[in-house]
Amino acid sequence: MSAALSDTVSQGIERLLPAYARADLTLVRGDGCRVWDADGGEYLDFGGGIAVVSLGHCHPAPLAAAAAQLDRLWHVSNLYRTEPAEELASLLSDRFGGAQAFFCNSGAEAIEAALKYARKATGRTGVVALEGGFHGRTLGALSATGQPAKRAPFDPLLAGVRFVPPNDVDALRAAVDDETGLILLEPILGEGGVIPLEPAFVEAAAELEPLLCLDEVQTGAGRTGTFFTFEQLGVRPDLLALAKGLANGLPIGALLVADEAAGAFAPGDHGSTFGGNPVSCAAASAVVETVDGALLANVRERGAQLVAGVESLPGVIAVRGRGLLVGAVIAGDASSVVEAARTEGLLVLSAGDDVVRFAPPLTVTAAEVDEALTATKRIFC
Ligand code: PLP
């Protein structure tokens, strides 16, 4: 622990519930793709706060929008209209091609809203989700998370959720029955190992009767080279969950409901005190406006550069993903690579036991990708 931190801060670790396996690294400042620790140590951030800091740390556009909103109005509740929430809803609707938004504060909350919306819209309680999928830690989202180790300590969870293997169309069709109101899919399983869904599988899901919700909490807001990943799959879902990168690090989540699926929620059906917070929404609108054609081209080009570099590393068995959500399947243990990378001044993530995940800001430059690859080579050799 750094001498630069006060006693109150350094003892505070004992006063946090130990829900996370935290590295002993206290980060105090960020700028673009870089963060600094309390001792002045510099790190290239290819984890981006788990795919959250979409435009880079302290990007001027969301910073200016949030600062201006902080000077005007922080909170009034959803008892009243606010300009930032309405502006963001209409920007997202334009990107989606016609949708209404429910704003909340996290990815799990967006999934909770989707679960409730599907029940109300269809009158059915069944859900079909993916083995290995991840949708969050609240009880509803956890119920649809196909990772038994995360679920087991909290059983019994919601009844009526069936899991099928990713990309198995026959299993998907067989799992859907008269009780199924919702099919919930990540277009790329993020926490589950960066596993992209095949377009034919997502198309098959869209053709089935239940509502289709794409969980784009990790893949949305430009991360994979289009604003939404569904644009690359030829399928427009009924429901879509967004969070992580939407406000560049301020807390926000959103459920989008396609116009074709509108009408199920009435006043009183759902709510969130902080949902649609003006500061988060103002930052998010700035993010949406900044994720333009040029930035999306950068995501695709830098993603291709990263994939080519990672593919050539010794010990890498396969490289998966789209845009700047890239997973390297390795023979060893991903968490030890994450640790070794940190000592080389590079922050990366794991996704499961054997996948090293890269999710840098979408603004990353070619030189920064090269720098990350050079650091990664030192670890893999
Ligand atoms: N859905 C997906 C695809 C995620 O990757 C995550 C978080 O990693 C969530 C939902 C949950 O989001 P949050 O941690 O904001 O609740």
Side-chain angles (χ1 to χ4, degrees):
M1 180 58 69
S2 162
L5 296 176
S6 73
D7 285 351
T8 315
V9 173
S10 59
Q11 286 159 17
I13 186 71
E14 309 295 336
R15 309 263 40 108
L16 288 169
L17 271 177
Y20 303 97
R22 288 180 216 273
D24 188 17
L25 171 65
T26 302
L27 297 170
V28 295
R29 188 165 73 83
D31 184 14
C33 286
R34 289 174 202 276
V35 289
W36 286 266
D37 69 20
D39 298 315
E42 182 176 315
Y43 301 82
L44 193 54
D45 186 3
F46 268 50
I50 318 190
V52 165
V53 187
S54 46
L55 301 182
H57 295 277
C58 297
H59 187 280
L63 177 61
Q69 189 59 43
L70 275 169
D71 272 342
R72 253 196 314 269
L73 183 71
W74 292 20
H75 175 85
V76 286
S77 95
N78 286 297
L79 295 174
Y80 309 99
R81 296 174 58 172
T82 66
E83 291 168 350
E86 292 179 20
E87 182 190 15
L88 178 60
S90 80
L91 288 173
L92 290 173
S93 172
D94 289 349
R95 293 288 185 127
F96 184 91
Q100 289 179 312
F102 174 84
F103 291 123
C104 48
N105 312 286
S106 69
E109 280 183 54
I111 296 299
E112 296 294 336
L115 293 169
K116 281 181 71 177
Y117 193 89
R119 282 191 177 204
K120 188 88 193 306
T122 66
R124 298 171 185 180
T125 56
V127 176
V128 173
L130 295 181
E131 290 173 7
F134 181 81
H135 301 290
R137 307 285 191 152
T138 52
L139 287 176
L142 188 60
S143 301
T145 286
Q147 301 188 14
K150 292 192 173 71
R151 298 158 48 89
F154 303 101
D155 277 339
L157 296 170
L158 282 188
V161 184
R162 291 185 180 148
F163 296 100
V164 298
N167 294 322
D168 186 336
V169 174
D170 292 340
L172 175 71
R173 290 193 180 125
V176 169
D177 65 15
D178 290 351
E179 295 301 312
T180 312
L182 181 69
I183 300 174
L184 178 60
L185 310 174
E186 290 166 87
I188 301 175
L189 282 75
E191 303 304 310
V194 192
I195 300 171
L197 293 187
E198 288 157 12
F201 180 77
V202 185
E203 268 169 43
E207 280 162 13
L208 291 165
E209 203 189 321
L211 292 178
L212 171 63
C213 178
L214 288 185
D215 178 347
E216 294 231 26
V217 164
Q218 187 155 162
T219 59
R223 166 81 24 215
T224 67
T226 46
F227 189 82
F228 297 113
T229 301
F230 76 73
E231 296 166 57
Q232 299 169 55
L233 298 172
V235 163
R236 211 174 65 123
D238 304 296
L239 309 177
L240 185 140
L242 268 181
K244 287 190 180 285
L246 183 56
N248 206 45
L250 288 184
I252 194 165
L255 173 69
L256 302 186
V257 177
D259 287 346
E260 297 77 8
F265 270 176
D269 278 339
H270 201 43
S272 161
T273 295
F274 290 118
N277 172 265
V279 180
S280 292
C281 286
S285 287
V287 169
V288 176
E289 283 176 329
T290 306
V291 179
D292 58 9
L295 187 62
L296 291 170
N298 188 62
V299 173
R300 294 190 293 270
E301 285 157 22
R302 299 290 70 78
Q305 180 189 355
L306 186 58
V307 167
V310 172
E311 266 171 353
S312 69
L313 294 174
V316 170
I317 296 167
V319 181
R320 301 191 289 240
R322 288 176 192 260
L324 286 169
L325 181 58
V326 173
V329 186
I330 59 166
D333 166 36
S335 60
S336 51
V337 171
V338 171
E339 262 174 56
R342 208 162 52 235
T343 64
E344 295 288 340
L346 176 68
L347 303 185
V348 291
L349 307 161
S350 59
D353 295 339
D354 62 348
V355 177
V356 179
R357 183 173 27 155
F358 302 84
L362 313 184
T363 48
V364 70
T365 64
E368 287 163 337
V369 171
D370 278 341
E371 194 182 329
L373 287 169
T374 304
T376 317
K377 263 181 210 137
R378 286 197 294 270
I379 301 154
F380 279 77
C381 288

